[in-house]
Amino acid sequence: MSRQSYIFTSESVSEGHPDKVCDRISDTVVDMFLEKDPQARVACETLTTTNRIVLAGEVRCCAKIDNDEIEAAVRAAVRDIGYEQDGFHWKNLVLENLLHEQSSDIAMGVDAAGNKDEGAGDQGIMFGYATRETPELMPAPIQYSHSILRDMAAARKADPSLGLEPDAKSQVTLAYESGVPVRATSIVVSTQHREGLTPEDIREIVRPFVTAVLPEGWMCEESEFYVNPTGNFVIGGPDGDCGLTGRKIIVDTYGGAAPHGGGAFSGKDPTKVDRSAAYISRYLAKNVVAAGLADRCTIQLSYAIGVAKPLSIYVDTHGTGRCDEAHLENVLSEAVDLSPRGIRECLGLNKPIYARTAAYGHFGRAPDADGGFSWERTDLADTLKSLAG
């Protein structure tokens, strides 16, 4: 039997964190290509450092996108994040674009031909998870960590006089009793700020964002509330640390409360099952919980490059299930076509909907009217209830 009383921590990072700047840029490139060609193939990696951005990767698109278009979109993304600093400025940075055509060998494995359906863009394992801890059916520590930073970013952009800058991190530690989160035992927030603000100033600027997110009465003791523990955070973003695409995969998913297959999401078009199969796994897990078939659910899918059908589907309801797990595996396979093509069609993934996923988590977000975060819908719950009997 799993532990019922324990302390668990998750962290989040803001859209101005160096790695998240890279994720945003890579997904901006994905959206550019998908807007021109819904069948485009993109694998874009980004590196950032002091006033420099490097793009590298492989693309295939039936429409022409020149380097000037890509550069303008990248600079606009950096500007939207809020970087107008001496060490990293959307207008002054140097951009090196090393994107090139996709390998014909990889394309051959993925493309449909004759009686062969489209295959997975790579081998790998992907996980989805859902839990009743929050209304979003997400683990509470990561959901609260995201919310603190998202609210701080919105306030920073609405009121520049607040003195906050784009780079920030949060960490929420919760106590669980009888398997349910009941209070925060510590909170950590580090945020870049303008020169001249004292640690006490930053502490009081940050405090209301934390208390507004936590349920009433959950705030930790004052001695366990850590804000900018090093005392000063003026130099930040890519000027302070090099950033790379795909280095925050646990931030992107469940904060460590569930397994992760290892593949990053950002910079990849939806033929890459690292992304699309992780999205459908979340969709299935969330609908299992929404249907009342379990209070917690982990789902694993696995694929081989060039092969359409998943090699395996595994369901674990952690002792909370109201349906046999082996039966549930069959139900999920019947409910949704889990081939790469089937996933994309089910969730409507061949759209420019990815830049918005680059910060504050790919999961636990509200579905958008244009198809963004479609994997957060719970429209499959009734079907699963019926099929599960």
Side-chain angles (χ1 to χ4, degrees):
M1 185 175 179
S2 60
R3 285 179 70 185
Q4 295 297 296
S5 297
Y6 54 92
I7 294 174
F8 191 83
T9 304
S10 294
E11 71 156 350
S12 180
V13 298
S14 73
E15 64 202 76
H17 184 282
D19 296 330
K20 281 290 149 201
V21 173
C22 293
D23 286 347
R24 170 69 176 274
I25 292 168
S26 291
D27 277 337
T28 294
V29 172
V30 171
D31 282 354
M32 286 189 71
F33 279 87
L34 290 177
E35 188 167 21
K36 298 270 189 177
D37 175 10
Q39 305 304 319
R41 301 283 168 76
V42 186
C44 177
E45 308 293 344
T46 303
L47 176 147
T48 59
T49 187
T50 302
N51 268 332
R52 182 173 290 272
I53 294 173
V54 180
L55 304 182
E58 303 78 45
V59 298
R60 190 181 78 183
C61 183
C62 69
K64 174 68 174 174
I65 301 179
D66 62 35
N67 288 343
D68 289 343
E69 287 182 87
I70 293 174
E71 180 166 345
V74 169
R75 291 186 187 275
V78 174
R79 184 180 187 181
D80 182 66
I81 292 169
Y83 274 113
E84 296 184 339
Q85 302 168 2
D86 289 342
F88 197 71
H89 195 298
W90 66 271
K91 188 183 293 183
N92 302 329
L93 61 84
V94 176
L95 174 64
E96 186 175 2
N97 183 354
L98 304 178
L99 294 170
H100 60 85
E101 284 293 314
Q102 182 188 51
S103 158
S104 59
D105 289 346
I106 292 177
M108 179 176 61
V110 177
D111 290 346
N115 294 325
K116 175 185 173 296
D117 195 3
E118 293 178 22
D122 202 352
Q123 71 176 48
I125 56 175
M126 299 83 205
F127 288 92
Y129 181 70
T131 173
R132 290 201 179 279
E133 288 180 22
T134 62
E136 300 84 3
L137 303 186
M138 284 287 288
I142 188 66
Q143 196 69 8
Y144 297 152
S145 294
H146 287 324
S147 296
I148 291 167
L149 295 185
R150 188 167 53 242
D151 291 352
M152 286 174 57
R156 166 178 62 83
K157 293 178 178 181
D159 183 9
S161 68
L162 202 58
L164 299 179
E165 295 288 351
D167 194 358
K169 302 176 81 169
S170 64
Q171 188 168 282
V172 173
T173 302
L174 300 183
Y176 284 70
E177 296 177 2
S178 301
V180 177
V182 294
R183 67 183 182 280
T185 61
S186 68
I187 303 289
V188 183
V189 179
S190 295
T191 180
Q192 188 185 17
H193 58 86
R194 291 185 187 166
E195 188 76 68
L197 291 171
T198 68
E200 291 72 23
D201 292 334
I202 300 301
R203 187 181 186 88
E204 295 314 309
I205 290 171
V206 167
R207 186 188 300 275
F209 295 104
V210 176
T211 56
V213 164
L214 294 177
E216 186 175 356
W218 278 37
M219 185 63 179
C220 62
E221 295 180 6
E222 192 66 15
S223 61
E224 295 296 325
F225 180 39
Y226 303 95
V227 178
N228 284 13
T230 60
N232 205 46
F233 189 0
V234 173
I235 300 172
D239 188 30
D241 284 299
C242 175
L244 291 170
T245 301
R247 287 205 300 192
K248 289 292 177 284
I249 58 177
I250 301 304
V251 170
D252 285 344
T253 54
Y254 308 101
H260 191 293
F265 302 157
S266 290
K268 298 175 180 178
D269 74 77
T271 67
K272 279 74 170 175
V273 285
D274 279 342
R275 181 166 222 160
S276 56
Y279 289 172
I280 199 72
S281 296
R282 161 65 177 173
Y283 176 67
L284 294 176
K286 186 174 185 180
N287 277 272
V288 165
V289 174
L293 300 177
D295 294 329
R296 291 173 60 205
C297 181
T298 298
I299 291 175
Q300 185 205 60
L301 299 175
S302 68
Y303 291 84
I305 187 168
V307 178
K309 68 178 181 66
L311 305 185
S312 65
I313 177 169
Y314 166 78
V315 174
D316 182 0
T317 55
H318 307 278
T320 70
R322 299 167 188 90
C323 175
D324 178 73
E325 289 158 329
H327 176 55
L328 195 50
E329 290 164 359
N330 293 328
V331 164
L332 297 178
S333 297
E334 181 181 347
V336 175
D337 177 359
L338 295 173
S339 69
R341 184 204 297 269
I343 293 170
R344 296 198 306 279
E345 291 177 351
C346 174
L347 298 180
L349 297 181
N350 287 98
K351 299 175 182 177
I353 55 173
Y354 297 105
R356 71 192 75 171
T357 69
Y360 314 118
H362 291 244
F363 308 126
R365 311 280 288 272
D368 294 325
D370 66 353
F373 300 104
S374 58
W375 47 93
E376 291 299 309
R377 303 184 319 239
T378 54
D379 55 339
L380 193 66
D382 288 342
T383 298
L384 294 184
K385 273 194 266 190
S386 175
L387 291 173

